[in-house]
Amino acid sequence: MSADAAIGTIPERLVDPQARVIDYLRVSVTDRCNYGCVYCIPDGGVAHTERAEVLSFEEIAALVCVFASLGVRRVRLTGGEPTARRDLVALVRLLRAIPGIDDIALSTNGHLLPELAAPLRDAGVDRLNVSVDSLDADRFRRITRRGDLARVLAGIEAARAAGFSSIKLNTVAIRGGNDDEMDRICAWAWARGLLPRFIEEMPMADGRAYQPGAHVSAAEIRERVAAAWPGTRVVADAADGARGAGPARYFRLDGGEGESAPVRRFGIISPRTEHFCTTCNRLRLSTAGALHACLAYDDAVDLRGPLHAGGDEAVARAIRGALAGKRDGHTFQLIGLGGPRKAMVQIGG
Ligand code: SAM
């Protein structure tokens, strides 16, 4: 039986109080990053998990095994910058061998992809998301504080050559930062068969990295993309091939010149103006083994203690405890209020 068919037969699959079925786990493998994006890392930085508390690859694999027994089918490795964790390829191999896990994705800033794209693909990563906030090298460096656009673009080329089943670009929309580049980013992605996605900025880290006035709404993103191709209109799109679509909503341009070109599809992740909480299918495991049921709240349940003290049964109980507390929705729409103390880099965005 395929893993997808098997999910229906798992007696104890993870269903939260709002009847959302959880089949997706994001695993933060490090809370350190080789970039320092201005909207992610507040001035003065953030506290990092002590090395002794960082989950080992064996601990991550043991926890993912329990999740798989409860119906989780997809894992995304994130961070911090996951490729900055030494020997990430070995972790991918461990996860690939877990029965039931049929999809492994990776979110990365792309800096180390020139060297790592092929080994990661060979080890079993299916899909990639690469953050690209600008196609202008100076802007890119300003936004990422120390990013190297040429390396990231070379990394994307290496990833295309390595044959991932999907590569998406993630761009946090920043007014006055990159909001005039959305059409350029779309055109660049479409020309390479990649799927561009725009993310509304979230007030993480107690709002400490949040720039008032920088927010661009989902509606404005749609308007700006359509305006760049006269005569087009934005229509909802089922996003074939966008497996793991998760919170993103997909759109495409219809009409206008270029209609015969490849589908002009883009995604928007809009935690602020167009919530997706009712379809949230995910949990997040922190670098230190704490399970977060929602990005927007700081509540978390420790899984490392139960793993060592009580084994799989104890971990499963703790996971259910976290799930019981998964909120109906969040309050990111209240600018600067209601956001979590944790920074994105600390939980794996
Ligand atoms: N370093 C990896 C990467 O670049 O994809 C994985 C972690 S990073 C925290 C995941 C995504 O979260 C990136 O696309 C990043 O741009 C986004 N992000 C970080 N802080 C954010 C914020 N405050 N609002 C919206 N997106 C944010």
Side-chain angles (χ1 to χ4, degrees):
M1 187 187 305
S2 76
D4 275 346
I7 197 167
T9 65
I10 292 171
E12 296 188 79
R13 60 203 283 223
L14 295 171
V15 184
D16 80 359
Q18 283 71 44
R20 293 172 291 197
V21 178
I22 308 298
D23 63 355
Y24 185 27
L25 178 70
R26 297 175 72 102
V27 178
S28 173
V29 299
T30 175
D31 54 13
R32 293 167 192 269
C33 191
N34 44 4
Y35 284 6
C37 300
V38 290
Y39 49 75
C40 184
I41 307 207
D43 288 340
V46 294
H48 294 299
T49 304
E50 296 291 329
R51 288 199 192 276
E53 302 199 342
V54 172
L55 290 179
S56 68
F57 287 170
E58 290 67 29
E59 287 172 318
I60 293 173
L63 292 174
V64 170
C65 272
V66 181
F67 280 100
S69 74
L70 298 172
V72 166
R73 293 288 164 259
R74 294 184 281 146
V75 171
R76 173 173 296 278
L77 301 177
T78 178
E81 176 47 44
T83 59
R85 175 124 181 213
R86 191 178 313 153
D87 213 8
L88 182 70
V89 169
L91 174 64
V92 173
R93 279 199 213 98
L94 283 179
L95 299 182
R96 193 77 261 178
I98 296 174
I101 298 301
D102 66 7
D103 183 74
I104 299 179
L106 174 75
S107 290
T108 175
N109 60 28
H111 188 83
L112 292 170
L113 281 182
E115 296 81 16
L116 287 177
L120 285 167
R121 177 70 193 116
D122 290 347
V125 173
D126 299 290
R127 298 180 298 113
L128 274 192
N129 286 1
V130 187
S131 303
V132 180
D133 288 333
S134 175
L135 288 173
D136 174 278
D138 293 334
R139 273 186 174 185
F140 185 81
R141 179 167 285 273
R142 268 200 306 281
I143 295 171
T144 58
R145 286 198 178 104
R146 47 186 172 272
D148 178 346
L149 180 65
R151 266 194 79 82
V152 173
L153 300 188
I156 292 172
E157 282 315 309
R160 291 177 69 208
F164 290 91
S165 66
S166 101
I167 304 176
K168 297 176 196 148
L169 301 187
N170 281 340
T171 303
V172 175
I174 310 165
R175 189 176 308 285
N178 61 11
D179 55 332
D180 56 348
E181 272 192 78
M182 292 175 184
D183 53 334
R184 185 175 173 208
I185 290 171
C186 285
W188 191 89
W190 294 335
R192 290 161 181 78
L194 313 177
L195 181 57
R197 311 195 307 173
F198 300 98
I199 308 175
E200 286 184 345
E201 188 183 356
M202 288 173 266
M204 302 292 293
D206 238 348
R208 284 189 300 133
Y210 187 71
Q211 305 154 74
H215 181 254
V216 187
S217 70
E220 185 176 340
I221 293 168
R222 287 191 291 271
E223 275 165 30
R224 280 178 170 254
V225 174
W229 280 272
T232 60
R233 63 191 182 104
V234 175
V235 297
D237 186 270
D240 322 333
R243 177 140 207 234
R249 294 196 176 92
Y250 288 90
F251 304 92
R252 66 171 194 277
L253 293 183
D254 258 12
E257 282 180 27
E259 196 165 23
S260 57
V263 183
R264 295 164 295 176
R265 177 182 289 134
F266 61 100
I268 302 181
I269 300 173
S270 49
R272 294 276 303 283
T273 63
E274 295 171 7
H275 285 190
F276 41 76
C277 301
T278 52
T279 56
C280 182
N281 62 347
R282 59 198 51 205
L283 295 171
R284 292 178 149 83
L285 182 64
S286 80
T287 309
L291 189 63
H292 293 243
C294 176
L295 184 60
Y297 292 94
D298 287 309
D299 338 351
V301 168
D302 174 48
L303 298 188
R304 190 187 211 181
L307 177 69
H308 291 293
D312 293 0
E313 288 291 318
V315 172
R317 268 198 307 281
I319 293 171
R320 291 195 183 289
L323 197 61
K326 188 167 166 72
R327 319 281 181 119
D328 302 7
H330 60 71
T331 52
F332 271 143
Q333 73 277 21
L334 305 174
I335 300 172
L337 295 173
R341 289 190 306 280
K342 67 195 180 201
M344 203 74 158
V345 70
Q346 290 172 309
I347 180 56

